Amino acid sequence: MTGWETAVLKGGPADGLRMKVADRPRVIQVTCPCKLEAASPDGVRAEAVYLYRRDYSVTDEPLRYGFDIASP
């Protein structure tokens, strides 16, 4: 384990978001809740999913993760 490092997201809905990551993950997933038109009786919810991929050219903090417009 490499310990905790600062990372920043670039582009997309989470642009500029800073966080701590462990072990330099290749991908970070961000979710944003979606509003349902009617309440679900069994607690179902919907979330939009966005992926950010690590920029391997950055080796010092803050690590950078760029928005992947093509996924998922």
Side-chain angles (χ1 to χ4, degrees):
M1 183 172 194
T2 61
W4 293 98
E5 296 178 280
T6 300
V8 63
L9 304 182
K10 295 292 183 183
D15 185 47
L17 186 70
R18 294 175 70 91
M19 68 194 71
K20 293 288 188 180
V21 297
D23 296 327
R24 296 186 172 191
R26 293 182 300 175
V27 176
I28 293 176
Q29 177 178 302
V30 173
T31 61
C32 297
C34 298
K35 287 188 176 186
L36 301 178
E37 291 186 1
S40 171
D42 53 0
V44 172
R45 64 180 190 232
E47 294 185 344
V49 177
Y50 304 95
L51 293 181
Y52 288 79
R53 298 194 184 275
R54 187 170 148 222
D55 179 346
Y56 287 95
S57 68
V58 178
T59 58
D60 295 325
E61 292 185 73
L63 301 175
R64 262 186 298 196
Y65 288 78
F67 177 58
D68 184 346
I69 196 166
S71 61

Short mmCIF file of all heavy atoms in Angstrom, two decimals:
data_model
loop_
_atom_site.label_atom_id
_atom_site.label_comp_id
_atom_site.label_asym_id
_atom_site.label_seq_id
_atom_site.Cartn_x
_atom_site.Cartn_y
_atom_site.Cartn_z
N MET A 1 0.85 -1.18 0.00
CA MET A 1 0.00 0.00 0.00
C MET A 1 0.89 1.24 0.00
O MET A 1 1.83 1.35 0.76
CB MET A 1 -0.92 -0.02 1.22
CG MET A 1 -1.87 1.12 1.27
SD MET A 1 -3.03 0.85 2.62
CE MET A 1 -4.24 2.04 2.23
N THR A 2 0.56 2.20 -0.86
CA THR A 2 1.37 3.41 -0.96
C THR A 2 0.92 4.50 0.00
O THR A 2 1.59 5.51 0.12
CB THR A 2 1.30 3.97 -2.40
OG1 THR A 2 -0.04 4.30 -2.70
CG2 THR A 2 1.84 2.98 -3.40
N GLY A 3 -0.18 4.33 0.67
CA GLY A 3 -0.70 5.37 1.56
C GLY A 3 -1.66 6.29 0.82
O GLY A 3 -1.96 6.09 -0.35
N TRP A 4 -2.16 7.28 1.53
CA TRP A 4 -3.14 8.20 0.97
C TRP A 4 -2.44 9.35 0.24
O TRP A 4 -1.47 9.89 0.73
CB TRP A 4 -4.01 8.76 2.09
CG TRP A 4 -4.87 7.71 2.70
CD1 TRP A 4 -4.61 7.03 3.86
CD2 TRP A 4 -6.08 7.18 2.21
NE1 TRP A 4 -5.59 6.12 4.11
CE2 TRP A 4 -6.53 6.19 3.10
CE3 TRP A 4 -6.87 7.45 1.09
CZ2 TRP A 4 -7.69 5.48 2.92
CZ3 TRP A 4 -8.03 6.72 0.90
CH2 TRP A 4 -8.44 5.76 1.82
N GLU A 5 -2.99 9.68 -0.95
CA GLU A 5 -2.47 10.78 -1.76
C GLU A 5 -3.64 11.64 -2.22
O GLU A 5 -4.76 11.16 -2.39
CB GLU A 5 -1.73 10.25 -2.98
CG GLU A 5 -0.48 9.45 -2.65
CD GLU A 5 0.17 8.91 -3.90
OE1 GLU A 5 -0.32 7.88 -4.42
OE2 GLU A 5 1.14 9.52 -4.35
N THR A 6 -3.36 12.92 -2.46
CA THR A 6 -4.37 13.82 -2.98
C THR A 6 -4.53 13.61 -4.48
O THR A 6 -3.56 13.44 -5.20
CB THR A 6 -3.99 15.28 -2.70
OG1 THR A 6 -3.87 15.45 -1.30
CG2 THR A 6 -5.02 16.25 -3.25
N ALA A 7 -5.78 13.62 -4.93
CA ALA A 7 -6.09 13.50 -6.35
C ALA A 7 -7.13 14.56 -6.71
O ALA A 7 -7.93 14.97 -5.86
CB ALA A 7 -6.63 12.11 -6.68
N VAL A 8 -7.10 15.00 -7.95
CA VAL A 8 -8.06 15.99 -8.43
C VAL A 8 -8.68 15.47 -9.73
O VAL A 8 -8.00 14.86 -10.55
CB VAL A 8 -7.41 17.38 -8.63
CG1 VAL A 8 -6.33 17.36 -9.69
CG2 VAL A 8 -8.43 18.44 -8.92
N LEU A 9 -9.99 15.70 -9.88
CA LEU A 9 -10.70 15.28 -11.09
C LEU A 9 -10.78 16.44 -12.06
O LEU A 9 -11.01 17.58 -11.66
CB LEU A 9 -12.11 14.80 -10.73
CG LEU A 9 -12.20 13.67 -9.70
CD1 LEU A 9 -13.65 13.27 -9.49
CD2 LEU A 9 -11.36 12.48 -10.12
N LYS A 10 -10.58 16.14 -13.35
CA LYS A 10 -10.59 17.17 -14.39
C LYS A 10 -11.69 16.86 -15.41
O LYS A 10 -11.79 15.74 -15.90
CB LYS A 10 -9.25 17.21 -15.13
CG LYS A 10 -8.09 17.64 -14.23
CD LYS A 10 -8.24 19.08 -13.83
CE LYS A 10 -7.07 19.54 -13.00
NZ LYS A 10 -7.22 20.90 -12.55
N GLY A 11 -12.51 17.86 -15.70
CA GLY A 11 -13.57 17.72 -16.68
C GLY A 11 -14.82 17.07 -16.10
O GLY A 11 -14.85 16.66 -14.94
N GLY A 12 -15.86 17.00 -16.92
CA GLY A 12 -17.09 16.33 -16.52
C GLY A 12 -17.80 16.98 -15.35
O GLY A 12 -17.48 18.09 -14.94
N PRO A 13 -18.77 16.26 -14.78
CA PRO A 13 -19.60 16.84 -13.72
C PRO A 13 -18.88 17.06 -12.39
O PRO A 13 -19.33 17.83 -11.56
CB PRO A 13 -20.73 15.81 -13.56
CG PRO A 13 -20.13 14.53 -14.02
CD PRO A 13 -19.18 14.91 -15.13
N ALA A 14 -17.75 16.41 -12.16
CA ALA A 14 -17.02 16.54 -10.90
C ALA A 14 -15.73 17.34 -11.07
O ALA A 14 -14.80 17.20 -10.27
CB ALA A 14 -16.73 15.16 -10.32
N ASP A 15 -15.65 18.18 -12.10
CA ASP A 15 -14.44 18.95 -12.39
C ASP A 15 -13.96 19.72 -11.17
O ASP A 15 -14.73 20.43 -10.52
CB ASP A 15 -14.71 19.92 -13.54
CG ASP A 15 -13.46 20.66 -13.97
OD1 ASP A 15 -12.42 20.00 -14.16
OD2 ASP A 15 -13.53 21.90 -14.12
N GLY A 16 -12.69 19.54 -10.83
CA GLY A 16 -12.09 20.26 -9.72
C GLY A 16 -12.24 19.58 -8.37
O GLY A 16 -11.64 20.02 -7.39
N LEU A 17 -13.03 18.52 -8.29
CA LEU A 17 -13.21 17.81 -7.02
C LEU A 17 -11.88 17.22 -6.57
O LEU A 17 -11.18 16.59 -7.35
CB LEU A 17 -14.25 16.71 -7.19
CG LEU A 17 -14.65 15.96 -5.92
CD1 LEU A 17 -15.47 16.87 -5.02
CD2 LEU A 17 -15.45 14.74 -6.28
N ARG A 18 -11.54 17.45 -5.31
CA ARG A 18 -10.29 16.92 -4.74
C ARG A 18 -10.65 15.86 -3.73
O ARG A 18 -11.65 15.98 -3.02
CB ARG A 18 -9.49 18.05 -4.11
CG ARG A 18 -8.99 19.06 -5.13
CD ARG A 18 -8.31 20.23 -4.48
NE ARG A 18 -7.02 19.88 -3.90
CZ ARG A 18 -5.84 19.94 -4.53
NH1 ARG A 18 -5.80 20.35 -5.78
NH2 ARG A 18 -4.73 19.62 -3.92
N MET A 19 -9.80 14.85 -3.62
CA MET A 19 -10.05 13.75 -2.69
C MET A 19 -8.75 13.07 -2.32
O MET A 19 -7.70 13.38 -2.90
CB MET A 19 -10.98 12.72 -3.35
CG MET A 19 -10.32 11.98 -4.51
SD MET A 19 -11.46 11.10 -5.53
CE MET A 19 -12.25 12.45 -6.34
N LYS A 20 -8.81 12.18 -1.38
CA LYS A 20 -7.68 11.33 -1.01
C LYS A 20 -7.93 9.94 -1.59
O LYS A 20 -9.04 9.42 -1.48
CB LYS A 20 -7.53 11.23 0.51
CG LYS A 20 -7.15 12.54 1.17
CD LYS A 20 -5.71 12.88 0.88
CE LYS A 20 -5.25 14.09 1.70
NZ LYS A 20 -3.89 14.44 1.44
N VAL A 21 -6.89 9.36 -2.20
CA VAL A 21 -6.99 8.00 -2.76
C VAL A 21 -5.84 7.17 -2.21
O VAL A 21 -4.79 7.70 -1.86
CB VAL A 21 -6.95 8.00 -4.31
CG1 VAL A 21 -8.15 8.74 -4.88
CG2 VAL A 21 -5.67 8.61 -4.84
N ALA A 22 -6.04 5.87 -2.15
CA ALA A 22 -5.00 4.94 -1.72
C ALA A 22 -4.62 4.05 -2.89
O ALA A 22 -5.47 3.65 -3.69
CB ALA A 22 -5.51 4.08 -0.56
N ASP A 23 -3.36 3.75 -3.02
CA ASP A 23 -2.84 2.82 -4.02
C ASP A 23 -3.03 3.26 -5.46
O ASP A 23 -3.04 2.43 -6.37
CB ASP A 23 -3.45 1.42 -3.82
CG ASP A 23 -3.06 0.81 -2.49
OD1 ASP A 23 -1.94 1.08 -2.02
OD2 ASP A 23 -3.88 0.07 -1.92
N ARG A 24 -3.20 4.54 -5.70
CA ARG A 24 -3.29 5.09 -7.06
C ARG A 24 -4.21 4.28 -7.98
O ARG A 24 -3.78 3.69 -8.98
CB ARG A 24 -1.90 5.20 -7.68
CG ARG A 24 -1.02 6.18 -6.94
CD ARG A 24 0.28 6.40 -7.63
NE ARG A 24 0.99 7.51 -6.95
CZ ARG A 24 2.06 8.09 -7.43
NH1 ARG A 24 2.56 7.70 -8.57
NH2 ARG A 24 2.62 9.07 -6.78
N PRO A 25 -5.51 4.26 -7.71
CA PRO A 25 -6.43 3.48 -8.56
C PRO A 25 -6.39 3.98 -10.01
O PRO A 25 -6.16 5.16 -10.26
CB PRO A 25 -7.80 3.72 -7.92
CG PRO A 25 -7.65 4.97 -7.13
CD PRO A 25 -6.22 5.02 -6.70
N ARG A 26 -6.62 3.07 -10.94
CA ARG A 26 -6.62 3.43 -12.36
C ARG A 26 -7.86 4.22 -12.75
O ARG A 26 -7.82 5.07 -13.63
CB ARG A 26 -6.53 2.18 -13.23
CG ARG A 26 -5.20 1.47 -13.08
CD ARG A 26 -5.11 0.28 -13.97
NE ARG A 26 -6.18 -0.66 -13.64
CZ ARG A 26 -6.45 -1.76 -14.30
NH1 ARG A 26 -5.74 -2.09 -15.35
NH2 ARG A 26 -7.42 -2.56 -13.92
N VAL A 27 -8.98 3.91 -12.09
CA VAL A 27 -10.26 4.53 -12.43
C VAL A 27 -10.98 4.95 -11.14
O VAL A 27 -10.92 4.23 -10.15
CB VAL A 27 -11.16 3.53 -13.21
CG1 VAL A 27 -12.53 4.12 -13.48
CG2 VAL A 27 -10.51 3.12 -14.50
N ILE A 28 -11.64 6.10 -11.20
CA ILE A 28 -12.51 6.55 -10.11
C ILE A 28 -13.91 6.70 -10.68
O ILE A 28 -14.10 7.30 -11.74
CB ILE A 28 -12.02 7.88 -9.51
CG1 ILE A 28 -10.68 7.66 -8.81
CG2 ILE A 28 -13.07 8.45 -8.54
CD1 ILE A 28 -10.05 8.92 -8.27
N GLN A 29 -14.87 6.15 -9.97
CA GLN A 29 -16.28 6.24 -10.38
C GLN A 29 -16.97 7.29 -9.54
O GLN A 29 -16.85 7.29 -8.32
CB GLN A 29 -16.95 4.89 -10.19
CG GLN A 29 -18.43 4.88 -10.51
CD GLN A 29 -19.03 3.51 -10.34
OE1 GLN A 29 -18.58 2.57 -10.99
NE2 GLN A 29 -20.01 3.39 -9.48
N VAL A 30 -17.71 8.19 -10.20
CA VAL A 30 -18.48 9.23 -9.53
C VAL A 30 -19.94 8.99 -9.86
O VAL A 30 -20.28 8.71 -11.01
CB VAL A 30 -18.05 10.63 -10.02
CG1 VAL A 30 -18.96 11.70 -9.45
CG2 VAL A 30 -16.60 10.91 -9.66
N THR A 31 -20.81 9.08 -8.86
CA THR A 31 -22.24 8.92 -9.11
C THR A 31 -22.98 10.17 -8.67
O THR A 31 -22.59 10.83 -7.70
CB THR A 31 -22.82 7.69 -8.38
OG1 THR A 31 -22.65 7.86 -6.98
CG2 THR A 31 -22.15 6.41 -8.84
N CYS A 32 -24.03 10.49 -9.39
CA CYS A 32 -24.90 11.61 -9.06
C CYS A 32 -26.34 11.10 -9.04
O CYS A 32 -26.76 10.43 -9.99
CB CYS A 32 -24.79 12.72 -10.09
SG CYS A 32 -23.15 13.45 -10.21
N PRO A 33 -27.09 11.39 -7.98
CA PRO A 33 -28.47 10.88 -7.92
C PRO A 33 -29.34 11.51 -9.00
O PRO A 33 -29.17 12.68 -9.36
CB PRO A 33 -28.94 11.27 -6.53
CG PRO A 33 -28.03 12.37 -6.10
CD PRO A 33 -26.73 12.19 -6.83
N CYS A 34 -30.27 10.72 -9.52
CA CYS A 34 -31.27 11.20 -10.48
C CYS A 34 -32.60 11.31 -9.75
O CYS A 34 -32.92 10.48 -8.88
CB CYS A 34 -31.42 10.22 -11.64
SG CYS A 34 -29.93 10.00 -12.62
N LYS A 35 -33.39 12.31 -10.10
CA LYS A 35 -34.71 12.45 -9.49
C LYS A 35 -35.69 11.51 -10.19
O LYS A 35 -35.76 11.48 -11.42
CB LYS A 35 -35.22 13.89 -9.62
CG LYS A 35 -34.53 14.85 -8.71
CD LYS A 35 -35.20 16.20 -8.74
CE LYS A 35 -34.56 17.13 -7.74
NZ LYS A 35 -35.28 18.40 -7.65
N LEU A 36 -36.44 10.77 -9.40
CA LEU A 36 -37.48 9.90 -9.94
C LEU A 36 -38.78 10.70 -10.02
O LEU A 36 -39.05 11.54 -9.17
CB LEU A 36 -37.66 8.67 -9.06
CG LEU A 36 -36.42 7.79 -8.87
CD1 LEU A 36 -36.72 6.63 -7.93
CD2 LEU A 36 -35.92 7.27 -10.21
N GLU A 37 -39.59 10.41 -11.04
CA GLU A 37 -40.85 11.13 -11.18
C GLU A 37 -41.87 10.69 -10.14
O GLU A 37 -42.78 11.43 -9.80
CB GLU A 37 -41.40 10.95 -12.59
CG GLU A 37 -40.55 11.68 -13.63
CD GLU A 37 -41.15 11.64 -15.00
OE1 GLU A 37 -42.25 11.07 -15.20
OE2 GLU A 37 -40.50 12.18 -15.92
N ALA A 38 -41.73 9.47 -9.65
CA ALA A 38 -42.63 8.96 -8.62
C ALA A 38 -41.80 8.18 -7.61
O ALA A 38 -40.79 7.56 -7.97
CB ALA A 38 -43.69 8.06 -9.24
N ALA A 39 -42.21 8.23 -6.37
CA ALA A 39 -41.49 7.50 -5.33
C ALA A 39 -41.61 6.00 -5.58
O ALA A 39 -42.66 5.50 -5.99
CB ALA A 39 -42.07 7.84 -3.97
N SER A 40 -40.52 5.30 -5.35
CA SER A 40 -40.50 3.86 -5.53
C SER A 40 -40.87 3.20 -4.20
O SER A 40 -40.21 3.45 -3.19
CB SER A 40 -39.12 3.41 -5.98
OG SER A 40 -39.04 2.01 -5.96
N PRO A 41 -41.88 2.35 -4.19
CA PRO A 41 -42.30 1.73 -2.92
C PRO A 41 -41.25 0.80 -2.33
O PRO A 41 -41.22 0.58 -1.14
CB PRO A 41 -43.57 0.97 -3.28
CG PRO A 41 -43.50 0.76 -4.75
CD PRO A 41 -42.70 1.90 -5.31
N ASP A 42 -40.36 0.28 -3.15
CA ASP A 42 -39.36 -0.66 -2.63
C ASP A 42 -37.98 -0.03 -2.51
O ASP A 42 -36.98 -0.73 -2.36
CB ASP A 42 -39.32 -1.93 -3.48
CG ASP A 42 -39.12 -1.65 -4.96
OD1 ASP A 42 -39.03 -0.46 -5.33
OD2 ASP A 42 -39.05 -2.60 -5.74
N GLY A 43 -37.91 1.30 -2.56
CA GLY A 43 -36.65 1.99 -2.31
C GLY A 43 -35.69 2.04 -3.49
O GLY A 43 -34.53 2.38 -3.32
N VAL A 44 -36.15 1.71 -4.69
CA VAL A 44 -35.29 1.76 -5.87
C VAL A 44 -34.88 3.21 -6.13
O VAL A 44 -35.67 4.13 -5.97
CB VAL A 44 -36.01 1.18 -7.11
CG1 VAL A 44 -35.20 1.41 -8.38
CG2 VAL A 44 -36.28 -0.30 -6.91
N ARG A 45 -33.63 3.40 -6.53
CA ARG A 45 -33.15 4.74 -6.87
C ARG A 45 -32.35 4.64 -8.17
O ARG A 45 -31.93 3.56 -8.58
CB ARG A 45 -32.30 5.31 -5.75
CG ARG A 45 -31.04 4.55 -5.50
CD ARG A 45 -30.23 5.17 -4.38
NE ARG A 45 -28.94 4.54 -4.34
CZ ARG A 45 -28.40 4.02 -3.27
NH1 ARG A 45 -29.03 4.08 -2.13
NH2 ARG A 45 -27.22 3.48 -3.33
N ALA A 46 -32.13 5.78 -8.80
CA ALA A 46 -31.36 5.83 -10.04
C ALA A 46 -30.20 6.80 -9.84
O ALA A 46 -30.36 7.84 -9.20
CB ALA A 46 -32.24 6.28 -11.20
N GLU A 47 -29.04 6.44 -10.39
CA GLU A 47 -27.87 7.30 -10.31
C GLU A 47 -27.16 7.33 -11.66
O GLU A 47 -27.04 6.31 -12.33
CB GLU A 47 -26.91 6.79 -9.23
CG GLU A 47 -27.47 6.90 -7.83
CD GLU A 47 -26.48 6.51 -6.77
OE1 GLU A 47 -25.46 5.87 -7.09
OE2 GLU A 47 -26.71 6.85 -5.60
N ALA A 48 -26.68 8.52 -12.03
CA ALA A 48 -25.86 8.65 -13.22
C ALA A 48 -24.43 8.28 -12.82
O ALA A 48 -23.96 8.64 -11.75
CB ALA A 48 -25.91 10.08 -13.74
N VAL A 49 -23.73 7.54 -13.69
CA VAL A 49 -22.38 7.07 -13.40
C VAL A 49 -21.40 7.72 -14.36
O VAL A 49 -21.63 7.76 -15.57
CB VAL A 49 -22.31 5.52 -13.54
CG1 VAL A 49 -20.90 5.03 -13.31
CG2 VAL A 49 -23.28 4.85 -12.58
N TYR A 50 -20.30 8.23 -13.80
CA TYR A 50 -19.25 8.86 -14.59
C TYR A 50 -17.90 8.26 -14.19
O TYR A 50 -17.68 7.97 -13.02
CB TYR A 50 -19.21 10.38 -14.34
CG TYR A 50 -20.54 11.04 -14.60
CD1 TYR A 50 -21.43 11.26 -13.56
CD2 TYR A 50 -20.90 11.43 -15.88
CE1 TYR A 50 -22.66 11.87 -13.79
CE2 TYR A 50 -22.12 12.04 -16.12
CZ TYR A 50 -22.99 12.25 -15.07
OH TYR A 50 -24.21 12.85 -15.30
N LEU A 51 -17.03 8.07 -15.17
CA LEU A 51 -15.71 7.51 -14.89
C LEU A 51 -14.62 8.53 -15.16
O LEU A 51 -14.69 9.31 -16.12
CB LEU A 51 -15.45 6.28 -15.75
CG LEU A 51 -16.31 5.05 -15.46
CD1 LEU A 51 -15.92 3.91 -16.38
CD2 LEU A 51 -16.21 4.64 -14.01
N TYR A 52 -13.61 8.48 -14.32
CA TYR A 52 -12.41 9.31 -14.46
C TYR A 52 -11.21 8.38 -14.47
O TYR A 52 -11.08 7.51 -13.61
CB TYR A 52 -12.30 10.30 -13.28
CG TYR A 52 -13.33 11.39 -13.37
CD1 TYR A 52 -14.65 11.18 -13.00
CD2 TYR A 52 -12.98 12.64 -13.87
CE1 TYR A 52 -15.59 12.18 -13.09
CE2 TYR A 52 -13.93 13.66 -13.98
CZ TYR A 52 -15.23 13.41 -13.59
OH TYR A 52 -16.17 14.41 -13.70
N ARG A 53 -10.35 8.53 -15.47
CA ARG A 53 -9.17 7.68 -15.62
C ARG A 53 -7.91 8.43 -15.22
O ARG A 53 -7.76 9.61 -15.51
CB ARG A 53 -9.06 7.18 -17.05
CG ARG A 53 -10.25 6.33 -17.44
CD ARG A 53 -10.02 5.56 -18.71
NE ARG A 53 -11.24 4.85 -19.07
CZ ARG A 53 -11.59 3.67 -18.60
NH1 ARG A 53 -10.81 3.04 -17.75
NH2 ARG A 53 -12.71 3.09 -18.99
N ARG A 54 -7.01 7.70 -14.58
CA ARG A 54 -5.77 8.30 -14.09
C ARG A 54 -4.87 8.77 -15.22
O ARG A 54 -4.72 8.09 -16.23
CB ARG A 54 -5.02 7.28 -13.22
CG ARG A 54 -3.84 7.90 -12.55
CD ARG A 54 -3.24 7.00 -11.52
NE ARG A 54 -1.80 7.26 -11.47
CZ ARG A 54 -0.88 6.37 -11.39
NH1 ARG A 54 -1.19 5.10 -11.29
NH2 ARG A 54 0.38 6.71 -11.38
N ASP A 55 -4.28 9.93 -15.05
CA ASP A 55 -3.30 10.49 -15.98
C ASP A 55 -1.93 10.01 -15.51
O ASP A 55 -1.40 10.50 -14.51
CB ASP A 55 -3.38 12.01 -15.97
CG ASP A 55 -2.39 12.68 -16.90
OD1 ASP A 55 -1.44 12.00 -17.37
OD2 ASP A 55 -2.55 13.89 -17.14
N TYR A 56 -1.36 9.02 -16.20
CA TYR A 56 -0.10 8.41 -15.77
C TYR A 56 1.11 9.31 -15.97
O TYR A 56 2.18 9.02 -15.45
CB TYR A 56 0.11 7.08 -16.50
CG TYR A 56 -0.81 6.00 -15.98
CD1 TYR A 56 -2.02 5.73 -16.62
CD2 TYR A 56 -0.49 5.27 -14.86
CE1 TYR A 56 -2.87 4.75 -16.14
CE2 TYR A 56 -1.33 4.29 -14.36
CZ TYR A 56 -2.53 4.03 -15.02
OH TYR A 56 -3.37 3.08 -14.52
N SER A 57 0.95 10.43 -16.69
CA SER A 57 2.08 11.35 -16.84
C SER A 57 2.31 12.17 -15.56
O SER A 57 3.35 12.78 -15.40
CB SER A 57 1.86 12.28 -18.04
OG SER A 57 0.80 13.17 -17.79
N VAL A 58 1.33 12.18 -14.67
CA VAL A 58 1.44 12.90 -13.40
C VAL A 58 1.89 11.90 -12.34
O VAL A 58 1.18 10.94 -12.05
CB VAL A 58 0.10 13.55 -13.01
CG1 VAL A 58 0.22 14.25 -11.67
CG2 VAL A 58 -0.35 14.52 -14.08
N THR A 59 3.06 12.14 -11.75
CA THR A 59 3.59 11.21 -10.76
C THR A 59 3.64 11.78 -9.36
O THR A 59 3.91 11.06 -8.40
CB THR A 59 5.00 10.74 -11.17
OG1 THR A 59 5.85 11.89 -11.31
CG2 THR A 59 4.96 9.97 -12.48
N ASP A 60 3.42 13.09 -9.20
CA ASP A 60 3.41 13.74 -7.90
C ASP A 60 2.01 14.23 -7.56
O ASP A 60 1.17 14.40 -8.45
CB ASP A 60 4.37 14.93 -7.88
CG ASP A 60 5.83 14.51 -8.07
OD1 ASP A 60 6.19 13.43 -7.56
OD2 ASP A 60 6.59 15.24 -8.71
N GLU A 61 1.81 14.50 -6.29
CA GLU A 61 0.51 15.03 -5.87
C GLU A 61 0.31 16.46 -6.35
O GLU A 61 1.29 17.21 -6.41
CB GLU A 61 0.39 15.00 -4.35
CG GLU A 61 0.32 13.60 -3.79
CD GLU A 61 0.07 13.61 -2.30
OE1 GLU A 61 -1.07 13.93 -1.89
OE2 GLU A 61 1.02 13.33 -1.55
N PRO A 62 -0.89 16.86 -6.69
CA PRO A 62 -2.05 16.00 -6.72
C PRO A 62 -2.06 15.13 -7.99
O PRO A 62 -1.71 15.61 -9.07
CB PRO A 62 -3.23 16.97 -6.72
CG PRO A 62 -2.70 18.21 -7.37
CD PRO A 62 -1.24 18.26 -7.01
N LEU A 63 -2.43 13.88 -7.81
CA LEU A 63 -2.63 13.00 -8.97
C LEU A 63 -3.79 13.56 -9.77
O LEU A 63 -4.66 14.24 -9.23
CB LEU A 63 -2.94 11.58 -8.49
CG LEU A 63 -1.88 10.93 -7.61
CD1 LEU A 63 -2.40 9.57 -7.12
CD2 LEU A 63 -0.57 10.77 -8.34
N ARG A 64 -3.82 13.28 -11.06
CA ARG A 64 -4.90 13.80 -11.90
C ARG A 64 -5.66 12.65 -12.53
O ARG A 64 -5.08 11.67 -13.00
CB ARG A 64 -4.35 14.68 -13.01
CG ARG A 64 -4.45 16.13 -12.66
CD ARG A 64 -4.04 16.96 -13.81
NE ARG A 64 -2.62 16.66 -14.09
CZ ARG A 64 -1.83 17.38 -14.82
NH1 ARG A 64 -2.27 18.44 -15.41
NH2 ARG A 64 -0.57 17.05 -14.99
N TYR A 65 -6.98 12.83 -12.57
CA TYR A 65 -7.89 11.90 -13.20
C TYR A 65 -8.75 12.67 -14.18
O TYR A 65 -9.39 13.65 -13.80
CB TYR A 65 -8.77 11.20 -12.16
CG TYR A 65 -7.99 10.20 -11.32
CD1 TYR A 65 -7.17 10.61 -10.29
CD2 TYR A 65 -8.06 8.84 -11.60
CE1 TYR A 65 -6.46 9.71 -9.53
CE2 TYR A 65 -7.34 7.93 -10.86
CZ TYR A 65 -6.54 8.37 -9.83
OH TYR A 65 -5.82 7.46 -9.09
N GLY A 66 -8.76 12.24 -15.44
CA GLY A 66 -9.51 12.94 -16.48
C GLY A 66 -10.84 12.25 -16.76
O GLY A 66 -10.94 11.02 -16.75
N PHE A 67 -11.85 13.05 -17.04
CA PHE A 67 -13.19 12.56 -17.36
C PHE A 67 -13.16 11.71 -18.62
O PHE A 67 -12.57 12.10 -19.63
CB PHE A 67 -14.12 13.75 -17.54
CG PHE A 67 -15.53 13.38 -17.93
CD1 PHE A 67 -16.29 12.56 -17.13
CD2 PHE A 67 -16.06 13.87 -19.10
CE1 PHE A 67 -17.59 12.22 -17.49
CE2 PHE A 67 -17.36 13.56 -19.47
CZ PHE A 67 -18.12 12.73 -18.66
N ASP A 68 -13.76 10.55 -18.58
CA ASP A 68 -13.85 9.64 -19.72
C ASP A 68 -15.24 9.79 -20.33
O ASP A 68 -16.19 9.17 -19.86
CB ASP A 68 -13.58 8.21 -19.29
CG ASP A 68 -13.55 7.24 -20.45
OD1 ASP A 68 -13.99 7.60 -21.56
OD2 ASP A 68 -13.10 6.11 -20.25
N ILE A 69 -15.35 10.61 -21.36
CA ILE A 69 -16.65 10.90 -21.97
C ILE A 69 -17.27 9.67 -22.64
O ILE A 69 -18.48 9.60 -22.80
CB ILE A 69 -16.53 12.07 -22.97
CG1 ILE A 69 -17.89 12.62 -23.31
CG2 ILE A 69 -15.75 11.65 -24.21
CD1 ILE A 69 -17.85 13.95 -24.00
N ALA A 70 -16.46 8.68 -22.99
CA ALA A 70 -16.96 7.51 -23.71
C ALA A 70 -17.47 6.40 -22.81
O ALA A 70 -17.95 5.39 -23.30
CB ALA A 70 -15.85 6.95 -24.60
N SER A 71 -17.38 6.55 -21.50
CA SER A 71 -17.83 5.45 -20.65
C SER A 71 -18.84 5.94 -19.63
O SER A 71 -18.88 7.12 -19.33
CB SER A 71 -16.62 4.82 -19.96
OG SER A 71 -15.99 5.77 -19.14
N PRO A 72 -19.62 5.07 -19.12
CA PRO A 72 -19.75 3.66 -19.48
C PRO A 72 -20.59 3.49 -20.72
O PRO A 72 -21.36 4.29 -21.10
CB PRO A 72 -20.40 3.03 -18.27
CG PRO A 72 -21.14 4.12 -17.58
CD PRO A 72 -20.42 5.39 -17.95
#
